[in-house]
Amino acid sequence: MSDASRISRQLSLCAVMETIVHFGPISRASVAKQTGLSKQTISEIARLLENGGWIRETGRTSGHVGRTAVTYEIVPDAACIAAVDLGGTKVRAAIADLSCNVLAELVELTDRRGGVHVVRQITRMCREVAQHNSIDFEKVRLAVVGVPGVPDPKTGRVLMAPNIADIDTLDVAAMLKQELGRDVFVENDVNLAVLGEHWIGTGAGVDDLAYIALGTGIGAGIMVGGDLVRGSAHAAGELGFLPFGADPFEPESQRIGALERVTATNGIKARYSQLSGNECDVPGIFDAASAGDEAALKVIDETARFVARAVAAICAVTGPGKIVLGGSIGSREELVHRVRDLATQCFPRKIDIGVSALGTQAAIAGAAAVGLSHLHATLFSGGVPGAEIALPPPDVVKFSGAIA
């Protein structure tokens, strides 16, 4: 087969597979209308995909005059992806299929020892979440891991991750690949979250988008023109290091970040203790504010003011069409409405601020998106440029979580 014929064949295969992924169950005649390919070509490709276990007959068309036609759909669990969201306090591991259904999910507290212990925790959880839900781990073709820091593509280390000890001393990607026996892609967790929100969440269809996560830390995932912005050192969006909040010249600000020191979990708790003389966790502080506690109200007001300044900074640099707030603290309505009000006071143009529709699943959805894109490229494109399968649109995806 000539190169031209091989490329044409690969493009046709991807076009047929994409149409079935997006519109199945669908007949061959309908695939022909969608792709412009001949019925003979579609029949040959459908047979190839069916023999490979990627699609299956699902029935016949009905309600039409004349002969019925066989319809096809993808086999969702023909291949799976391990999607992991590593946080400073919790690890979430999930298995997603080709339809982006989360078949199983497991959540644990992050191993406080950090380093190699966290890497081993991730590999164990990936295998356990499959085993406990009777999913053949051989079907898991790759893993996508979100981390709360900056993955260094040269060394595999995760930098600027102060909430997980010693993770900056390891080649995390290489260790995970060795222990899982699969290709592994390591990405910043908030970058994955913005990809998830852009695909099927609050930011769907908004190509200039920013997602701000506030919880154990603070960070942003930023998209410009539909592309993720990583920066030369892959550290774009590290909002915690914006030079306000705490003194940016203090050594602690070099380690954690001036803004993160005052807006994230530990900063909020410390500020409340300073004002009230009492120790309290963050949910308790929000509860106290609802009951009229002046110290708690002051802490939330101050936090909202800092977040609004971060929102304005992003808007001044990238001009997003929408900002999505998320994270265990950032998505709380008490904070969101304050940020909306304050943002209009420190930026001259209207800012569209929404709340994450995916919640704790945002990074998992983004990991599934990255995983599906890589999986499609590996399985079907054959390395041919332009032969790729687009992710299904939001109205087709039925993304759902399943707690193990």
Side-chain angles (χ1 to χ4, degrees):
M1 182 183 292
S2 68
D3 284 347
S5 296
R6 183 180 69 82
I7 291 172
S8 176
R9 184 73 168 179
Q10 213 68 48
L11 289 168
S12 297
L13 186 151
C14 285
V16 171
M17 186 65 180
E18 178 176 294
T19 303
I20 295 173
V21 167
H22 288 204
F23 302 106
I26 187 171
S27 68
R28 283 176 289 187
S30 294
V31 174
K33 289 180 181 178
Q34 293 281 346
T35 62
L37 297 170
S38 71
K39 291 183 180 179
Q40 179 181 348
T41 297
I42 289 168
S43 294
E44 291 173 358
I45 292 174
R47 184 165 56 250
L48 177 69
L49 291 171
E50 189 173 12
N51 290 340
W54 301 111
I55 66 173
R56 63 191 175 199
E57 291 186 15
T58 189
R60 286 184 170 270
T61 56
S62 60
H64 300 284
V65 176
R67 297 172 59 188
T68 60
V70 173
T71 57
Y72 294 93
E73 67 180 5
I74 65 167
V75 179
D77 62 351
C80 296
I81 302 147
V84 179
D85 179 13
L86 171 63
T89 55
K90 291 181 180 179
V91 188
R92 187 180 302 272
I95 305 293
D97 66 16
L98 291 176
S99 294
C100 202
N101 290 318
V102 176
L103 306 178
E105 190 173 305
L106 186 62
V107 182
E108 292 183 359
L109 295 177
T110 304
D111 193 318
R112 297 182 65 179
R113 294 173 294 177
V116 67
H117 302 286
V118 167
V119 172
R120 289 172 179 162
Q121 180 181 24
I122 290 170
T123 57
R124 173 183 55 76
M125 287 177 68
C126 286
R127 294 184 181 278
E128 282 187 5
V129 72
Q131 180 183 358
H132 291 172
N133 291 274
S134 302
I135 299 168
D136 185 355
F137 198 72
E138 290 303 310
K139 290 185 176 181
V140 177
R141 299 297 188 96
L142 57 85
V144 180
V145 180
V147 294
V150 179
D152 184 341
K154 294 181 180 178
T155 65
R157 297 186 301 152
V158 178
L159 309 176
M160 300 170 73
N163 296 311
I164 300 181
D166 297 329
I167 201 166
D168 59 348
T169 65
L170 309 170
D171 187 336
V172 175
M175 288 186 67
L176 288 170
K177 181 176 181 179
Q178 180 178 358
E179 297 212 10
L180 286 172
R182 307 285 189 278
D183 283 338
V184 176
F185 299 90
V186 178
E187 180 60 89
N188 172 267
D189 56 354
V190 189
N191 282 351
L192 291 181
V194 77
L195 291 174
E197 292 289 345
H198 178 259
W199 179 28
I200 55 174
T202 300
V206 181
D207 285 345
D208 294 292
L209 179 69
Y211 173 93
I212 297 177
L214 176 59
T216 306
I218 184 171
I222 300 170
M223 299 185 74
V224 175
D227 295 323
L228 186 65
V229 177
R230 290 190 175 87
S232 62
H234 286 228
E238 289 295 320
L239 286 192
F241 288 87
L242 283 174
F244 57 81
D247 184 346
F249 295 100
E250 291 179 353
E252 189 68 1
S253 294
Q254 289 290 310
R255 189 179 75 86
I256 294 177
L259 182 61
E260 183 162 316
R261 288 175 65 187
V262 298
T263 56
T265 296
N266 288 338
I268 290 174
K269 289 164 61 178
R271 180 59 171 153
Y272 181 73
S273 177
Q274 181 186 47
L275 291 173
S276 69
N278 299 318
E279 300 294 328
C280 190
D281 61 16
V282 172
I285 293 170
F286 276 92
D287 290 342
S290 297
D293 184 309
E294 290 188 7
L297 286 166
K298 185 174 178 61
V299 170
I300 294 172
D301 286 340
E302 290 177 351
T303 303
R305 185 171 291 270
F306 287 131
V307 174
R309 290 175 67 180
V311 166
I314 292 174
C315 290
V317 175
T318 69
K322 194 178 194 73
I323 299 260
V324 179
L325 299 180
S328 60
I329 299 171
S331 60
R332 294 198 62 131
E333 185 55 37
E334 304 99 316
L335 189 75
V336 172
H337 83 78
R338 286 174 168 84
V339 172
R340 284 189 178 125
D341 290 342
L342 290 164
T344 64
Q345 298 174 37
C346 65
F347 195 74
R349 293 193 301 275
K350 182 180 178 181
I351 304 173
D352 184 359
I353 299 176
V355 181
S356 170
L358 298 173
T360 58
Q361 299 285 323
I364 293 294
V370 171
L372 282 174
S373 296
H374 282 292
L375 199 57
H376 288 158
T378 301
L379 296 173
F380 305 115
S381 74
V384 174
E388 52 195 30
I389 297 174
L391 292 169
D395 58 345
V396 173
V397 177
K398 295 180 175 62
F399 185 80
S400 60
I403 303 299

